[in-house]
Amino acid sequence: MIRTKKIESKPLNFFEKIYIIEVIRGFSVTLKHFFINLFFPSKIPTISYPEEKVLLPGNAKLKSRHRIKLRSDGTPKCVACMMCSTICPADCIHIEAAETETPVEKYPKVFNIDISKCVMCGLCVEACPEDAISMDTNEIAGGAYSRFSNFQKDGLFLTKNELFIKLKDEKISKLGAANRLENEYGERND
Amino acid sequence: MEEFIKILSPEYINLTLSNILLNHKNDIYLIIETVLKIAAFYGGIMSLAGLLTIGERKISALMQDRIGPNRANIFKFTLWGLFHPMADGIKMIMKEDFIPKNASKILFTIAPVISMVPVLVVFAFIPFGNYLDLGFYKINFIILDSDLSFFLLIAISSLAIYGTFLGGFSSGNNWGILGAIRAQAQMISYEVVVVLSVLPVIMIYSASSLSDLTLKQSGTILGIIPNWGIFVQPVSFLIFFTAALAENKRTPFDVVEGESEIIGYFIEHGSMRFAAFMFAEYVEIILFSMLASIFFFGGWQVPYLNDQGFNLGSFFIPINHYLIVLMQLASFALKTVFFSVLVIMIRWTLPRFRFDQIMRLCWANLLPISVLNLLLTALIIRGIK
């Protein structure tokens, strides 16, 4: 059986049928927007990314572009355990490990993230045993002119220079096993 | 032999040349004047059409709370997006010049030209100013003044449909043919209404040339209102505006193009062929704006301004002749730009009509009203006489 739904449409009154008055009403709406935007361009909600960047509201900034946290001595907290690059569903993290002289023994010689592949799922942050990788830089990745040029040059390719950064007024965290080891040895050395 | 040497001698040539110059002084002045007028007027129209392409995108952006195109730059210098028409032109030239297999090659090639030429020719009849008196010479600001210019204008501008129709018909594409058929039906129907809506104005001012029509719109009615077509024939103006908009195939009446359903008559036309169709559309907007201002807003007339100066009742300020000419040219340019912007704004404000609604609006509403208006005007003019 076919079920039908009857939609009652209101019959047009005389002024609506003439259409001229409705045209003027329509114009009053579009002209209002036109003149407000013409004389106050700052009211246009568009952001000219990448020239112009805005702070993300609330917890949205916990899903912004990646960074690797630093220790108090400036070395990266990452120990090149490959957990993040293993769990990454988009396969966008590339790490090459190397040895250090410090008790931590391992550090990432190359750490690249291809943001054009990244799906912003945050699994790398969950997986990190050292609390090293995080997505709290408050920068939105995207709107770039070239995929493989550097992030600093409006590209989408992150290397160590952009990843290993310290945020403004950030407290150095001492979480993470290897980090605690490093801290303990560091304190003993001091 | 001696005769031949005599003819070749510099003195003889100089004498003949000066004779020619003296005898045909006025002809030479006319040629120089016409060439200058064509260069200035058509240059203005072309640059305005170019500006309208960026203007359309900017205005629509502002009406929809967007910024609009602003990225085309020369050495990082964007000039508020003014380089975008140039970028468009370069892009169009670089594109592949493609002719489909089923297309009729000759018609497919000449269709964009046919759609542009009639629209451009018509501008010759349009008075864009009164006259400039240089003392030794008087320049009329009209390229070709003819007593029949109104009828020539109607005749030539109605040829524009051939370009549209041939463009769709020759492409060998079914959507193109559908667009061409719609264009034929719509443009021919609305042409009748355009002519009928303008006739009352022509009758009231009893002028068949556009320059004469503009001249007769000087002065005032009842001492205050300017003697313009809009105040004499307001109904005519509304009908003319609607019908001319429909004949331009602009958005409330754009089933011919139908961007979301059929691409329309230029579906197979790419690169500069498409650009020619688009450019013809923007030039048509300018033509429509100029005609609206000439028929209903006094053309180059400035309210209360006559040949000597500003005049309102017993109030009179004499103004320099050159300043008056400048004011009249500016008045015409301003009216043209105003109507062009209004047409663009209408596109971004009103929803589209269905095809049956378009045809019903023409034959069932606008045509009877314009015929009634014509009869009423004729009766009133007869009664007064």
Side-chain angles (χ1 to χ4, degrees):
Chain A
M1 190 191 155
I2 302 165
R3 293 170 69 189
T4 54
K5 186 183 175 188
K6 198 180 176 189
I7 297 169
E8 295 274 333
S9 58
K10 209 176 70 183
L12 301 178
N13 63 29
F14 178 71
F15 294 110
E16 283 164 350
K17 271 183 187 164
I18 283 185
Y19 200 54
I20 295 168
I21 294 160
E22 296 297 305
V23 168
I24 294 167
R25 272 182 61 198
F27 255 102
S28 70
V29 174
T30 45
L31 282 183
K32 197 176 77 189
H33 281 265
F34 177 77
F35 283 113
I36 287 176
N37 293 330
L38 185 67
F39 294 117
F40 307 100
S42 56
K43 292 202 174 182
I44 299 175
T46 312
I47 301 154
S48 299
Y49 196 83
E51 290 91 9
E52 192 185 335
K53 284 165 184 165
V54 287
L55 291 181
L56 293 171
N59 284 341
K61 69 179 177 190
L62 294 177
K63 278 284 166 66
S64 49
R65 108 162 154 84
H66 312 70
R67 70 170 179 120
I68 305 290
K69 289 179 186 167
L70 300 178
R71 298 199 184 95
S72 50
D73 60 349
T75 54
K77 281 173 79 176
C78 177
V79 293
C81 65
M82 307 285 180
M83 290 234 186
C84 49
S85 72
T86 308
I87 203 167
C88 179
D91 197 16
C92 67
I93 304 177
H94 174 76
I95 306 171
E96 284 174 22
E99 282 191 35
T100 62
E101 299 299 317
T102 58
V104 182
E105 291 181 357
K106 259 175 108 189
Y107 85 104
K109 195 171 77 182
V110 175
F111 200 114
N112 292 339
I113 296 181
D114 187 354
I115 292 270
S116 66
K117 284 186 186 172
C118 177
V119 293
M120 291 287 161
C121 59
L123 283 178
C124 48
V125 183
E126 301 282 330
C128 186
E130 295 295 321
D131 188 36
I133 192 164
S134 68
M135 296 174 73
D136 57 356
T137 46
N138 223 338
E139 290 170 13
I140 321 157
Y145 293 122
S146 164
R147 179 179 160 193
F148 291 111
S149 60
N150 200 285
F151 189 77
Q152 304 287 2
K153 294 170 188 166
D154 299 327
L156 285 175
F157 201 74
L158 301 176
T159 57
K160 278 167 90 168
N161 295 335
E162 297 84 48
L163 283 170
F164 296 180
I165 53 167
K166 182 172 172 288
L167 293 183
K168 273 180 199 167
D169 50 79
E170 177 206 359
K171 279 184 188 172
I172 300 294
S173 142
K174 291 186 177 180
L175 287 175
N179 198 33
R180 195 168 66 240
L181 197 69
E182 205 272 344
N183 289 333
E184 281 167 12
Y185 279 102
E187 276 160 26
R188 195 179 298 172
N189 286 347
D190 288 339
Chain B
M1 195 65 195
E2 270 184 21
E3 290 251 321
F4 191 64
I5 290 169
K6 196 180 150 197
I7 288 172
L8 272 186
S9 66
E11 293 88 27
Y12 188 80
I13 290 174
N14 273 342
L15 200 69
T16 356
L17 266 181
S18 55
N19 269 340
I20 289 172
L21 282 177
L22 274 178
N23 290 341
H24 300 277
K25 197 174 147 197
N26 284 335
D27 291 345
I28 289 166
Y29 273 145
L30 187 70
I31 290 169
I32 294 172
E33 179 206 336
T34 312
V35 168
L36 282 180
K37 275 191 298 197
I38 289 175
F41 191 43
Y42 276 84
I45 289 164
M46 290 299 169
S47 34
L48 182 57
L51 282 178
L52 280 185
T53 58
I54 180 73
E56 170 132 44
R57 291 151 81 184
K58 274 282 178 193
I59 290 170
S60 66
L62 287 180
M63 287 165 100
Q64 296 169 350
D65 290 351
R66 294 183 286 114
I67 292 177
N70 60 353
R71 290 300 158 112
N73 61 63
I74 294 175
F75 302 120
K76 301 261 172 194
F77 186 63
T78 57
L79 209 72
W80 311 284
L82 275 181
F83 291 128
H84 272 268
M86 279 187 227
D88 287 341
I90 292 169
K91 189 192 92 173
M92 292 289 188
I93 289 172
M94 295 299 203
K95 289 234 168 187
E96 185 195 354
D97 188 17
F98 177 73
I99 298 179
K101 209 171 86 184
N102 294 337
S104 146
K105 265 187 190 165
I106 298 169
L107 291 181
F108 189 81
T109 311
I110 61 171
V113 183
I114 295 180
S115 75
M116 270 198 87
V117 167
V119 186
L120 285 178
V121 166
V122 161
F123 284 103
F125 308 121
I126 285 183
F128 53 97
N130 195 1
Y131 64 87
L132 175 62
D133 205 348
L134 289 171
F136 63 96
Y137 195 72
K138 191 172 146 185
I139 298 173
N140 283 317
F141 285 115
I142 179 167
I143 292 169
L144 178 63
D145 200 359
S146 157
D147 283 343
L148 287 171
S149 65
F150 170 68
F151 300 101
L152 279 171
L153 182 134
I154 298 293
I156 294 176
S157 67
S158 62
L159 287 178
I161 193 200
Y162 282 101
T164 310
F165 179 68
L166 287 179
F169 202 69
S170 64
S171 65
N173 184 314
N174 288 347
W175 301 121
I177 293 172
L178 184 57
I181 291 169
R182 285 183 181 184
Q184 240 187 342
Q186 180 177 327
M187 287 168 82
I188 291 178
S189 309
Y190 275 94
E191 207 153 274
V192 180
V193 180
V194 168
V195 177
L196 280 178
S197 67
V198 173
L199 276 182
V201 182
I202 300 284
M203 279 159 60
I204 282 180
Y205 294 107
S206 59
S208 63
S209 82
L210 297 185
S211 53
D212 199 17
L213 183 73
T214 322
L215 267 177
K216 283 182 176 168
Q217 292 190 42
S218 63
T220 52
I221 314 167
L222 307 173
I224 302 170
I225 312 166
N227 187 14
W228 288 355
I230 175 86
F231 300 113
V232 186
Q233 282 286 348
V235 181
S236 239
F237 172 68
L238 282 177
I239 298 169
F240 172 80
F241 199 86
T242 319
L245 208 62
E247 222 197 311
N248 270 1
K249 315 180 285 290
R250 293 283 301 178
T251 276
F253 307 96
D254 79 330
V255 285
V256 174
E257 285 165 35
E259 281 146 3
S260 51
E261 22 174 297
I262 60 172
I263 313 296
Y265 58 94
F266 48 54
I267 184 165
E268 294 288 357
H269 289 260
S271 69
M272 285 309 277
R273 299 171 201 274
F274 170 73
F277 275 126
M278 279 315 276
F279 206 68
E281 188 184 318
Y282 283 102
V283 174
E284 261 177 53
I285 294 176
I286 298 172
L287 175 67
F288 158 66
S289 318
M290 284 181 175
L291 290 184
S293 64
I294 284 171
F295 285 127
F296 298 99
F297 287 84
W300 42 259
Q301 298 276 4
V302 183
Y304 319 122
L305 190 79
N306 58 22
D307 272 354
Q308 274 77 43
F310 190 76
N311 189 4
L312 179 59
S314 56
F315 191 67
F316 183 76
I317 308 170
I319 300 176
N320 188 347
H321 173 67
Y322 297 106
L323 202 64
I324 288 179
V325 169
L326 266 184
M327 278 164 77
Q328 285 168 340
L329 288 176
S331 155
F332 189 66
L334 207 71
K335 284 167 190 170
T336 307
V337 171
F338 172 78
F339 278 108
S340 303
V341 171
L342 188 66
V343 168
I344 286 173
M345 284 183 161
I346 283 175
R347 171 170 180 185
W348 296 99
T349 302
L350 299 185
R352 304 167 56 197
F353 289 118
R354 283 198 316 269
F355 192 61
D356 63 315
Q357 287 173 329
I358 291 177
M359 293 321 257
R360 201 170 55 221
L361 178 72
C362 176
W363 293 107
N365 299 336
L366 293 183
L367 191 71
I369 297 174
S370 54
V371 170
L372 273 180
N373 190 27
L374 187 66
L375 286 176
L376 208 69
T377 314
L379 279 178
I380 289 170
I381 290 174
R382 193 77 184 160
I384 289 171
K385 273 183 181 169

